[in-house]
């Protein structure tokens, strides 16, 4: 998986590509933990993610809890990943655009 981080004032966009699974989820978790504490908005652009496992879901949930409601969203989620969000109920928890 590749992780590209773009900072714009107090907003950060993390662009992901590859698979978000047991092997790669710790990379995303480390990247999120390393973000500045004063960010107001975090967007994870999942345009390049075609697969997500439960380990990836766990990292997204932890990120949601860290950022709080309204400060974290996912964008460009493909149909196969959106199906996982639908089946797990994550589409009710996370902001997905």
């Amino acid at each position: 998986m590749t992780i590209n981080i773009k900072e714009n004032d107090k907003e950060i966009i993390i662009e992901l590509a590859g698979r978000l699974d047991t092997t790669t989820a710790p990379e995303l978790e480390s990247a999120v933990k390393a973000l500045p504490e004063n960010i107001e908005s975090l967007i994870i652009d999942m345009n390049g993610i075609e697969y997500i496992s439960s380990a990836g879901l766990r990292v997204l949930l932890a990120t949601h809890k860290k950022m709080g409601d309204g400060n974290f969203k996912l964008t460009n989620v493909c149909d196969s990943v959106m199906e996982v969000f639908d089946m797990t109920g994550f589409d009710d928890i996370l902001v997905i655009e």
Side-chain angles (χ1 to χ4, degrees), residues 1-2 5 8 11 22 24-25 29 34 36 39 42 46 52-54 58 64 68-69 72-73 77 82-83 85 89:
M1 179 176 71
T2 59
I5 299 175
N8 181 14
E11 176 181 85
T22 305
T24 60
E29 185 174 31
I39 63 171
L42 175 62
M46 300 189 66
I52 189 168
S53 73
S54 60
R58 181 188 57 77
H64 169 73
D69 289 332
F72 173 60
K73 67 181 172 183
V77 177
M82 193 64 205
E83 191 174 311
F85 290 153

Side-chain angles (χ1 to χ4, degrees), residues 21-77:
D21 57 20
T22 305
T23 305
T24 60
E27 294 174 47
L28 178 58
E29 185 174 31
S30 294
V32 170
K33 285 182 179 179
L35 294 176
E37 291 294 321
N38 64 340
I39 63 171
E40 294 176 3
S41 175
L42 175 62
I43 299 168
I44 296 184
D45 184 341
M46 300 189 66
N47 188 45
I49 296 292
E50 298 175 0
Y51 173 83
I52 189 168
S53 73
S54 60
L57 292 173
R58 181 188 57 77
V59 173
L60 294 178
L61 184 59
T63 302
H64 169 73
K65 288 180 180 179
K66 174 183 177 175
M67 292 300 300
D69 289 332
N71 299 326
F72 173 60
K73 67 181 172 183
L74 305 175
T75 60
N76 299 315
V77 177

